[in-house]
Amino acid sequence: MDETTSLTEVGSENPKPSQTGKTPVGAPARKAVKKKSTIVKLVLIGIALVAGLIFAFCPMRFGFTKYSPFWNSISLGLDLKGGVYAVYQATDNNTDGFDAKMEGTRSSLEQLLVSKGYSEAVVVREGDDRIRVEIPGVESTSEILKIIGEPAEIAFVLDETKETVLTGEDVVNAQAFYSANDGGYVVSLELTSVGQDKFYQATSNNINKTMSIIVTIGGESNTISTATINSAISGNAIISGNFTAESSEQLANQIMSGTFDVALEIKETETISPTLGENALKYGLIAGAIGFILVIAFICVIYKMLGLAAAIALVLYVIIYLFFLAVLPWVQLTLPGIAGILLSIGMAVDANVIIFERIKEEYKNGKSIMAAYHAGFKKALFAILDSNVTTVIACILLMLLGTGSISGFALTLLVGVLISLFSALVISRGLVKYFINLNSYNAKLYGLKRGKQFENLEADATDSAVLAVMEREAQEKQQSKEEKKQKREDAKAARRAQKNNGGETA
């Protein structure tokens, strides 16, 4: 007898025809669902959702400590926080190993900014011979010259013989600080091993003579400091004198500006107002919130309970997304980054739409709600993976080849796409499964309709068969695990036996 016509109505001892003319629903299908455990899981998901929203957006106080939501921990870029940017260009790009020297200069600039407390600064290359520096929180372009110093060529020259002792290549670091032993502010010089040898030879042969530090900017040379050699210096050096905090810092910056591998000149500087950035962030968030609400409303109207599952998954997706934006150290949120976030949210919705349309198609062609759910996710998997893999490849290429805002856009989009895959294939799937466990016989709750040839077939007419298949697959999976475990144990026993036999033979 056909399985779908042998099912009996719940609570009936004998089969009775349905008053609506549809195939009667059998007891095995509805009794197999564990509704209590499903409700517990949904409650736990709800608790996790509420907790996530609280930790994401709500500041709290625990005793004497204040918790700041991780939304506030997201690093903001120049266009949102305000600040200055400058573009430097190499004065000569025909030197040997120019590309490596440019990369070394970029790295030196980055380390210099980090050492001065500007950890959020961005230093990237533009094209072959330009470097772009962005420093959030700085209010005027003149400050960038105080922070970095105007790129220059530097030389330590003996005044008597005009011999150049050191150049920028020999200096590792220059730092201003207050020294009680020297009675004021000084500038310390950290030299390379080669620089230390040069400096020792020059200072030991020229005690009580003077040495000048000459900076060349745009072909014009200026002496920024002249010091008397008091003794032979075998290691790092200290420049002392009547320095103030400002003048010592300026000298250290000028020395460091001459240590770059490539001579640079400023081509462009501009200030971005913090007010402009705050307004951009505010309006961007408002636009994102409106779009998010409209998307949730749309999928809930079109897909009913399926849409509700997707909406909950999307809220969890946003919470997880914000968490990763806050904890990943190389993520800096910019306006293009916000565009990447909104685009990735759209792609997360798109994945759910693909799955739900497949479920509707499977149900229309005669499958039960539960069978349509399993087939829909299974058949939509490769389409979702294909579309997202191409996006991931594009993001990686943009990160490798792009600079500045392009790279920021690609990074936020990449993070969002990877999380959206997890959201659609794990969170959404689990929620839809739990909803169907609660009600697998009312197709209207899920916005599902039968095709004409199957319009008299009950919504859960084949659930018993689906559950049997699921149980069999679970048993086969468990059996496969046990077999693999047994094989590993047998292999270990064989190796131990072989080792023991080898030991006895020896």
Side-chain angles (χ1 to χ4, degrees):
M1 184 180 292
D2 183 57
E3 183 182 11
T4 59
T5 60
S6 65
L7 299 175
T8 59
E9 196 172 297
V10 177
S12 299
E13 295 181 358
N14 299 311
K16 295 180 182 179
S18 172
Q19 293 178 355
T20 59
K22 294 183 179 180
T23 306
V25 182
R30 295 188 185 177
K31 286 186 178 180
V33 177
K34 299 179 180 179
K35 290 189 176 181
K36 288 184 179 180
S37 63
T38 298
I39 292 173
V40 171
K41 292 175 182 177
L42 287 174
V43 170
L44 292 176
I45 291 174
I47 294 173
L49 180 63
V50 173
L53 289 172
I54 291 174
F55 282 105
F57 299 104
C58 301
M60 294 175 288
R61 183 175 293 277
F62 298 98
F64 295 102
T65 61
K66 185 178 180 181
Y67 169 77
S68 178
F70 50 78
W71 160 254
N72 292 336
S73 301
I74 298 175
S75 176
L76 299 181
L78 186 68
D79 52 356
L80 298 179
K81 191 175 182 179
V84 298
Y85 77 85
V87 177
Y88 295 92
Q89 185 173 21
T91 57
D92 183 11
N93 57 7
N94 293 322
T95 59
D96 294 335
F98 175 74
D99 187 69
K101 290 182 178 179
M102 280 293 291
E103 183 58 31
T105 301
R106 186 208 65 78
S107 178
S108 297
L109 276 169
E110 188 173 60
Q111 292 174 5
L112 176 61
L113 289 167
V114 171
S115 68
K116 292 181 179 294
Y118 295 93
S119 58
E120 296 179 0
V122 176
V123 184
V124 293
R125 290 180 60 179
E126 286 189 346
D128 295 329
D129 61 348
R130 290 194 174 200
I131 295 177
R132 181 185 180 93
V133 179
E134 298 179 353
I135 309 179
V138 177
E139 297 180 356
S140 67
T141 54
S142 61
E143 290 189 41
I144 198 169
L145 298 179
K146 294 179 181 178
I147 296 167
I148 299 176
E150 189 170 356
E153 296 179 7
I154 193 166
F156 291 71
V157 179
L158 291 170
D159 293 332
E160 183 176 345
T161 61
K162 304 301 180 185
E163 176 190 356
T164 299
V165 178
L166 301 175
T167 64
E169 295 180 354
D170 302 310
V171 180
V172 176
N173 191 23
Q175 188 174 6
F177 66 94
Y178 182 84
S179 172
N181 294 331
D182 294 292
Y185 288 93
V186 298
V187 177
S188 68
L189 292 178
E190 182 182 350
L191 306 177
T192 64
S193 58
V194 175
Q196 289 179 4
D197 292 338
K198 293 179 181 178
F199 210 52
Y200 176 73
Q201 292 294 330
T203 55
S204 61
N205 295 328
N206 293 276
I207 295 175
N208 295 325
K209 296 179 181 180
T210 59
M211 178 185 292
S212 295
I213 304 174
I214 300 175
V215 171
T216 303
I217 301 175
E220 183 178 347
S221 299
N222 292 298
T223 300
I224 61 173
S225 179
T226 299
T228 301
I229 303 171
N230 295 323
S231 61
I233 302 172
S234 59
N236 297 327
I238 288 180
I239 303 173
S240 59
N242 296 321
F243 290 122
T244 63
E246 184 177 348
S247 62
S248 62
E249 186 70 26
Q250 182 181 7
L251 176 59
N253 288 341
Q254 287 176 317
I255 293 173
M256 284 302 297
S257 69
T259 62
F260 302 141
D261 296 334
V262 176
L264 301 173
E265 61 179 351
I266 294 181
K267 301 298 290 184
E268 180 183 352
T269 60
E270 188 172 334
T271 302
I272 295 180
S273 169
T275 303
L276 176 63
E278 290 172 1
N279 290 336
L281 178 60
K282 180 176 69 175
Y283 292 128
L285 292 176
I286 291 174
I290 292 173
F292 187 72
I293 292 171
L294 290 176
V295 165
I296 287 180
F298 172 79
I299 59 177
C300 287
V301 169
I302 299 299
Y303 298 106
K304 306 291 191 302
M305 293 290 286
L306 296 178
L308 178 60
I312 296 173
L314 280 176
V315 175
L316 289 170
Y317 162 81
V318 170
I319 294 171
I320 297 171
Y321 201 172
L322 293 176
F323 173 76
F324 276 97
L325 290 177
V327 299
L328 293 177
W330 56 85
V331 173
Q332 192 171 52
L333 191 60
T334 61
L335 277 178
I338 292 177
I341 292 173
L342 298 180
L343 181 57
S344 62
I345 291 175
M347 295 187 67
V349 175
D350 180 60
N352 283 285
V353 169
I354 293 173
I355 293 168
F356 297 161
E357 286 297 323
R358 177 61 70 178
I359 291 174
K360 291 175 70 174
E361 189 70 22
E362 295 295 328
Y363 181 80
K364 180 181 178 181
N365 292 333
K367 286 186 171 65
S368 69
I369 294 177
M370 187 177 291
Y373 150 75
H374 285 284
F377 271 93
K378 186 176 181 180
K379 293 182 179 180
L381 174 63
F382 291 104
I384 294 171
L385 288 177
D386 288 345
S387 63
N388 282 275
V389 165
T390 54
T391 305
V392 168
I393 293 173
C395 289
I396 293 173
L397 290 175
L398 285 174
M399 289 173 59
L400 294 176
L401 304 177
T403 58
S405 58
I406 295 175
S407 179
F409 167 79
L411 180 57
T412 54
L413 181 58
L414 176 63
V415 174
V417 167
L418 295 177
I419 299 174
S420 71
L421 276 174
F422 172 78
S423 173
L425 300 179
V426 178
I427 300 177
S428 290
R429 182 168 188 166
L431 288 168
V432 172
K433 175 184 175 181
Y434 297 149
F435 286 161
I436 292 176
N437 283 348
L438 292 178
N439 191 321
S440 63
Y441 48 85
N442 189 346
K444 291 182 179 180
L445 283 176
Y446 307 99
L448 304 177
K449 292 183 180 180
R450 292 289 193 194
K452 289 185 178 180
Q453 64 272 40
F454 300 105
E455 60 184 2
N456 292 327
L457 190 63
E458 285 283 1
D460 58 350
T462 59
D463 278 2
S464 57
V466 175
L467 291 170
V469 171
M470 290 171 60
E471 186 176 353
R472 185 176 69 251
E473 289 178 348
Q475 291 175 350
E476 290 175 352
K477 187 176 181 180
Q478 181 63 28
Q479 184 178 358
S480 176
K481 286 183 179 180
E482 292 176 355
E483 290 177 353
K484 289 180 180 179
K485 183 179 179 181
Q486 186 62 43
K487 286 182 180 179
R488 287 196 297 269
E489 292 178 353
D490 292 343
K492 288 180 181 179
R495 287 195 295 270
R496 285 196 297 268
Q498 184 178 5
K499 184 177 180 181
N500 293 334
N501 290 336
E504 292 173 1
T505 302

